Amino acid sequence: MSTFAASHLSPSYPDRAAWGTAPKLRAWQQEAFDLYSSREPRDFLAVATPGAGKTTFALRIVSDLLARGIIRSVTIVTPTEHLKQQWADAAARVGIAIDPEFKNSQGTTSRDYVGVAITYAQVSMHPALHRARTEARKTLVIFDEVHHAGDAKSWGDGVRDAFEPAARRLALTGTPFRSDVNPIPFVTYAEDGDGVRRSVSDYSYGYGPALADGVVRPVIFLAYAGEMRWRTRAGDEIAATLGTPLTKDQLGQAWKAALDPKGDWIRQVLTAADRRLTEVRRGVPDAGALVIATDHETARAYAKHIRAITGEGATVVLSDDPEASKKIKQFADAPDRWMVAVRMVSEGVDIPRLAVGVYATSISTPLFFAQAVGRFVRARKRGEFASVFLPSVPTLMGLAGEMETERDHVLDRKLPEEGLDDLLLEDAQRQKDNPDVLGDELPFETLEAVATFDRVLFDGGEFGSAAETGSPEEEDFLGLPGLLEPDQVRTLLSKRQSDQLKAKRNKPEPKEPQIAPHELIANLRKELNGLVGAWNHRTGQPHGVIHAELRRACGGPAIAQASAEQIQERIGKIRQWATQRSH
């Protein structure tokens, strides 16, 4: 077999070849391929940021090994059904016939195929079958997003049993590894100076170098805060401001209220994202947008919002939809504006025209976040950059600010206490038919959810300041041109922030409206009662006990007789508890 068709990878610009194919290699693939060829390893782990072109790199190796007779068959293992088809399509473009419809019940595939594409789940269901296939012919096994081999013990055991006899194994990943203590099959681990075993990649190409090379797009994150108010099952009304310091329970419920389709927050953010998409389309006419939702119910509700905002329908992709792969492919090739998805596009799916994203899910694992953002960074031509809208939540702000940070898979370490890590990825990736957001264990009714523009994060910096949605200050950032170089993005963001600060300095301070004493005390009582309700949910202490403890700590009479100053002191005390106590 000739290796010419797959001998090179797509240039970063001005044109982008079909997924997995291209007229010439990028520098990193050539370097990685040369390294592979010089070592002739049985196992090789390549870590490359989403959008860099791992598929064509792998297919180049397939062509070379087939041509030299080192292998006679290929097995590609993927995390999802859709990716099986995508790999087969890419391989077909370079003359490699892969069967994406292979079923365990078949046992063998047609002689027309040089290999099969299967899922990790398929392997775990019948590892003996795949071991027999691997032993029958000299086989190269490609593990796409190899960290999924650790999603469940049965998956890891199945992969190890099935492919131990393989002639060659090529592991690929575009996102940081899992952080639990389950070793991933066929990955090498080395002990560091602290006695902790860390994964060792044979070749690594991160987001930072890829951005510098123009291989991927830069991303700006537009964070939205807002006022949230909800009623708990106990009938308490609680208010909180997303984007300010909150207790864990308050944050979870405020986040849930923000994502609630019945509130205004998500509608206002979708409206802002659509305005951004319109601006991007001035320079990138086929640009598309994607909402990543938590569950099926909210995905459908978000699609209704989009139709009301734009007058056009959105493509809705659900994890249990047999037509999901077809819908994704149609959207990738169409000029449509919006897609809403639950999990089908969190990893590996190639829709290069996606330029605007809305992160409307409570999933906060570093792995899922990296996968999701990876859907928007695939470069096609110089000057394109992506815009991702997200709630102003500390976990997400931290992940957005660490886009260029690499994390090895670490063994022999304590599991994270908070649970906001890759341990939750398998749950995050499961089919979701019902709402499952943070705070879901505390049923409540959203009463109010209003969005405010918070800030922009880009290249490790923060720009802008709080502003109402629809305001000129927000429009300054939504109206950024759709085609800019990274240094131009930073320059323009800095200038707009400077202009806003100058305008604020020159604007006379509004006089505080006078408020009657009874109104002030009523407002303070309401705020304190809301905090007591939140503390009740966090600790299980009855409301009366909490009020009594506050009186003992601060002094003064019962709340009905307390002065404004005394109530304010108790508010300060319960906020102090939230940051200092652990329950």
Side-chain angles (χ1 to χ4, degrees):
M1 174 181 293
S2 169
T3 64
F4 176 77
S7 63
H8 299 296
L9 192 70
S10 57
S12 50
Y13 39 73
D15 297 309
R16 183 182 182 283
W19 190 82
T21 63
K24 67 177 183 177
L25 279 174
R26 287 170 173 157
W28 83 263
Q29 275 103 354
Q30 185 65 61
E31 186 177 53
F33 178 75
D34 290 345
L35 180 64
Y36 184 90
S37 300
S38 66
R39 290 184 180 178
E40 295 283 351
R42 187 179 182 198
D43 288 292
F44 192 90
L45 170 61
V47 180
T49 191
K54 293 182 294 297
T55 303
T56 302
F57 163 68
L59 292 175
R60 174 67 180 91
I61 289 175
V62 172
S63 294
D64 178 67
L65 296 181
L66 285 170
R68 293 193 288 134
I70 294 174
I71 62 168
R72 296 181 57 206
S73 179
V74 184
T75 297
I76 302 167
V77 191
T78 76
T80 66
E81 289 288 329
H82 175 78
L83 287 175
K84 288 163 50 177
Q85 186 66 54
Q86 195 161 287
W87 270 95
D89 290 345
R93 295 188 189 105
V94 293
I96 301 171
I98 298 295
D99 180 6
E101 304 296 334
F102 178 81
K103 302 291 190 295
N104 287 351
S105 57
Q106 293 174 222
T108 59
T109 188
S110 165
R111 289 185 301 173
D112 293 336
Y113 296 110
V114 76
V116 300
I118 55 180
T119 64
Y120 289 100
Q122 252 180 289
V123 176
S124 71
M125 287 187 284
H126 203 334
L129 165 68
H130 298 286
R131 184 183 183 96
R133 293 189 63 259
T134 303
E135 290 175 329
R137 304 176 73 189
K138 291 186 294 183
T139 301
L140 165 67
V141 182
I142 297 174
F143 300 110
D144 186 20
E145 303 296 348
V146 67
H147 49 267
H148 283 284
D151 276 358
K153 188 175 186 300
S154 62
W155 286 22
D157 290 346
V159 164
R160 189 176 286 104
D161 293 344
F163 303 119
E164 190 280 328
R168 294 285 181 92
R169 291 180 291 257
L170 175 61
L172 307 172
T173 184
T175 49
F177 270 178
R178 299 162 51 86
S179 62
D180 62 16
V181 294
N182 295 326
I184 296 170
F186 311 123
V187 169
T188 300
Y189 293 88
E191 197 171 285
D192 64 14
D194 298 323
V196 175
R197 289 176 293 162
R198 296 178 180 273
S199 63
V200 178
S201 62
D202 296 284
Y203 189 89
S204 182
Y205 187 64
Y207 177 75
L211 186 61
D213 292 345
V215 170
V216 295
R217 297 170 179 156
V219 181
I220 65 168
F221 294 94
L222 297 98
Y224 279 73
E227 300 296 324
M228 310 297 152
R229 191 165 58 88
W230 60 91
R231 181 183 294 114
T232 68
R233 174 181 284 178
D236 299 317
E237 289 191 14
I238 300 176
T241 301
L242 199 63
T244 62
L246 299 172
T247 67
K248 183 179 178 182
D249 286 343
Q250 283 179 318
L251 175 61
Q253 295 190 57
W255 191 349
K256 181 177 180 179
L259 300 182
D260 191 335
K262 296 189 291 293
D264 287 334
W265 190 93
I266 189 65
R267 180 183 56 78
Q268 291 170 320
V269 170
L270 289 172
T271 299
D274 190 68
R275 292 208 303 275
R276 177 74 195 128
L277 178 61
T278 296
E279 185 60 44
V280 171
R281 282 193 160 213
R282 298 184 195 279
V284 188
D286 69 337
L290 166 68
V291 185
I292 298 177
T294 299
D295 58 76
H296 293 186
E297 182 181 336
T298 54
R300 295 186 183 98
Y302 293 163
K304 291 180 180 178
H305 279 315
I306 290 169
R307 178 175 286 280
I309 292 165
T310 67
E312 301 177 16
T315 298
V316 179
V317 179
L318 305 177
S319 53
D320 61 350
D321 184 355
E323 296 292 309
S325 292
K326 181 179 178 181
K327 288 181 179 179
I328 292 172
K329 191 174 189 307
Q330 288 175 340
F331 182 82
D333 298 333
D336 300 353
R337 292 173 69 91
W338 280 94
M339 171 184 279
V340 183
V342 175
R343 64 175 288 270
M344 287 296 294
V345 290
S346 65
E347 181 176 54
V349 173
D350 185 60
I351 308 176
R353 68 187 190 88
L354 285 178
V356 175
V358 178
Y359 194 87
T361 175
S362 64
I363 301 169
S364 56
T365 71
L367 184 51
F368 187 90
F369 186 84
Q371 292 169 355
V373 174
R375 299 317 99 215
F376 306 97
V377 302
R378 298 181 183 274
R380 297 186 301 175
K381 65 179 180 179
R382 199 171 186 78
E384 289 186 346
F385 68 99
S387 306
V388 176
F389 292 70
L390 72 173
S392 189
V393 172
T395 305
L396 300 184
M397 296 296 96
L399 294 174
E402 296 168 3
M403 271 288 290
E404 297 175 17
T405 299
E406 303 289 336
R407 291 191 304 132
D408 289 328
H409 181 213
V410 181
L411 300 179
D412 310 318
R413 54 166 281 185
K414 294 178 68 174
L415 302 184
E417 295 179 1
E418 290 299 319
L420 293 177
D421 212 324
D422 304 336
L423 299 176
L424 299 180
L425 181 63
E426 50 266 44
D427 178 67
Q429 293 281 48
R430 289 190 196 116
Q431 174 180 322
K432 297 291 184 181
D433 297 302
N434 300 303
D436 182 23
V437 257
L438 286 174
D440 193 47
E441 70 282 1
L442 306 172
F444 70 91
E445 175 190 3
T446 301
L447 301 177
E448 182 180 22
V450 179
T452 56
F453 173 76
D454 189 6
R455 59 193 136 147
V456 167
L457 287 80
F458 177 74
D459 195 26
E462 296 186 2
F463 305 87
S465 56
E468 297 298 317
T469 55
S471 67
E473 290 83 3
E474 179 198 38
E475 196 61 41
D476 278 346
F477 296 101
L478 297 181
L480 290 172
L483 288 171
L484 289 173
E485 293 294 319
D487 57 339
Q488 293 175 320
V489 175
R490 174 171 273 281
T491 299
L492 197 50
L493 287 172
S494 298
K495 182 179 185 304
R496 297 200 170 176
Q497 181 179 34
S498 176
D499 290 345
Q500 288 184 3
L501 292 174
K502 183 178 178 181
K504 284 186 176 181
R505 284 195 299 267
N506 295 335
K507 187 176 180 180
E509 288 291 329
K511 291 184 178 180
E512 288 291 332
Q514 292 294 323
I515 182 170
H518 70 277
E519 291 180 311
L520 174 60
I521 289 176
N523 290 340
L524 289 173
R525 286 175 181 168
K526 182 177 180 181
E527 182 179 358
L528 178 59
N529 285 331
L531 291 170
V532 167
W535 194 248
N536 160 261
H537 286 301
R538 179 173 177 178
T539 65
Q541 290 179 296
H543 290 220
V545 172
I546 299 169
H547 278 293
E549 190 174 346
L550 286 170
R551 283 185 65 189
R552 283 194 296 272
C554 302
I559 189 171
Q561 290 80 40
S563 67
E565 183 179 356
Q566 290 167 329
I567 299 173
Q568 186 66 63
E569 186 178 359
R570 295 176 196 181
I571 289 172
K573 176 59 68 174
I574 196 170
R575 288 190 183 279
Q576 183 183 1
W577 291 351
T579 57
Q580 293 182 352
R581 293 191 182 185
S582 61
H583 291 264

